[in-house]
Amino acid sequence: MFQRFANGQIEILKEFDSHNLELNEKLKIELNSIGLSDDLHMNKTAPVKVLLKNGKTIDFATIRISKKPPIGYYFDHFKEVIFIDKVEAIEKSEFGLSKKIREKAKNAEEMRMGFYPTVLGASNGEKVVINGKPLFFRNGKIKRADLKLENESWDHRVTYVYEEKIEEQVIVISKK
C-alpha cells in the first residue's frame, strides 16, 4: 500500500511540474464572483461545479490555487485530483457555501474535541450547524441557498440539522 501511495504522489508531482496550470481569464472571472477563501496553508480555495473538457460534470469540486504541488495525506480526502488544464468551465455549485459563511466558519471556536460549530439559519426556520471549514453543504431537505449566518453560538441542548458527508469531492489544482 505504501508503494502505491508513493508512486501516485510521484506521478502527481510530475504532472504538476509539467503542465501550465494557471487560470485563464474566463475562469478567473467566475472564481472572483464565487469568492476565494484561504485554507489552512494560505492557499486560495473555492467550492465550484466544474465541466471537464471530456464532458463530465462534477458538482463537488474544490479549486485550489497554490505554488505547492498537491501531495500529502490531505489529498487522500478527495476522490480524485484534477488539474485545471482539464477544466472547460466552472460555475457556482448549488452546494457551495457562500464566502461570507466560509469566512465565519474559519473563525469558529472549538467547542468539543475537533468540533468547530458555526450556526446557520435555514429559510424554513430550522437551525443548521456546520463543523470546521467546509466548502460545501448538502442535506436532503435544506439547500445551500437557503442558509444564512445566525448571530448565535452552538448549544448542545438544541436540535440542529447537520451536513451530510460528501464522499464524491474532487480537488482541482491550479498554480499561482
Side-chain angles (χ1 to χ4, degrees), residues 80-98:
E80 188 176 356
V81 174
I82 298 169
F83 292 101
I84 197 72
D85 59 350
K86 305 279 190 280
V87 173
E88 180 69 32
I90 62 172
E91 60 186 63
K92 186 178 277 190
S93 168
E94 70 175 298
F95 303 100
L97 291 170
S98 71

Side-chain angles (χ1 to χ4, degrees), residues 36-45 62-66 74-75 106 133 135 171:
L36 290 162
S37 301
D38 292 331
D39 69 9
L40 291 172
H41 308 287
M42 301 308 289
N43 300 304
K44 300 293 184 192
T45 61
T62 296
I63 296 280
R64 177 182 179 260
I65 304 170
S66 177
Y74 168 76
F75 297 97
K106 185 167 68 171
K133 302 175 192 177
L135 295 177
I171 191 159

